[in-house]
Amino acid sequence: MNPILEAFIKLASSFVGTLGFAIFMHAPKRAWLPASTIGGVAYLLYWALMQMGLNDPTAIFIGALLGSVLGQYCARRMRMIASIFVLLSMIPLVPGLGLYRCMHYLAQEMYSAGADAGVRAMVDVVMIALGLAVGSFLFRLVAGAKPPKEAVK
């Protein structure tokens, strides 16, 4: 498949998945498109890094870091809470297939394969959490805790 077409499909499908989750979770309507775009871009970065040969945990960390920084920025620009954008932007990165495989292997009494799949999925979850934390920290460090312009007299 053409790499550009594949990248577009990854971006579009992660955008639609994030949008569906935003609707399902009753996120504010004005946050749907920006949060879905951030989710799509974060997943696209993760996918591109994987295509370049980076290992899965590192690629997920960098994708989550980008999603966190963009979510924080968007929240500040739109004067909304950051957790809306950050939560939604992480949806495409969640290792659902790895967690499913863990449960499948365990149900089939393939305990070694199940433990391996579970550990890999949990490493990905930890990398998402680290990416969120580091992204939030870096954004606050760079942007500072400045009050909105309307509040300054």
Side-chain angles (χ1 to χ4, degrees):
M1 179 182 284
N2 181 356
I4 294 173
L5 177 61
E6 190 174 357
F8 177 76
I9 290 170
K10 300 289 183 185
L11 177 67
S13 62
S14 57
F15 176 91
V16 170
T18 305
L19 180 62
F21 194 79
I23 293 167
F24 177 71
M25 295 304 294
H26 301 287
K29 287 184 181 181
R30 66 188 187 115
W32 290 359
L33 292 180
S36 299
T37 302
I38 295 169
V41 169
Y43 185 81
L44 185 63
L45 176 62
Y46 158 73
W47 176 80
L49 292 172
M50 290 290 293
Q51 297 304 306
M52 295 182 338
L54 205 61
N55 63 11
D56 192 51
T58 305
I60 281 192
F61 171 78
I62 294 171
L65 179 75
L66 177 69
S68 177
V69 169
L70 292 176
Q72 296 282 341
Y73 175 77
C74 196
R76 184 165 289 193
R77 293 280 298 173
M78 295 182 71
R79 291 180 174 77
M80 297 177 74
I81 59 172
S83 57
I84 294 170
F85 297 99
V86 173
L87 170 72
L88 292 173
S89 69
M90 294 304 114
I91 295 303
L93 297 175
V94 172
L97 181 59
L99 294 170
Y100 171 81
R101 285 183 177 155
C102 174
M103 292 293 108
H104 173 76
Y105 290 142
L106 292 176
Q108 299 297 320
E109 297 182 3
M110 300 169 65
Y111 300 117
S112 178
D116 183 54
V119 167
R120 280 187 274 125
M122 288 301 111
V123 167
D124 289 347
V125 168
V126 168
M127 296 313 285
I128 290 171
L130 284 174
L132 291 176
V134 171
S136 178
F137 173 76
L138 290 177
F139 184 82
R140 291 178 192 270
L141 188 67
V142 171
K146 300 173 190 170
K149 291 181 182 179
E150 293 81 29
V152 177
K153 292 184 181 183

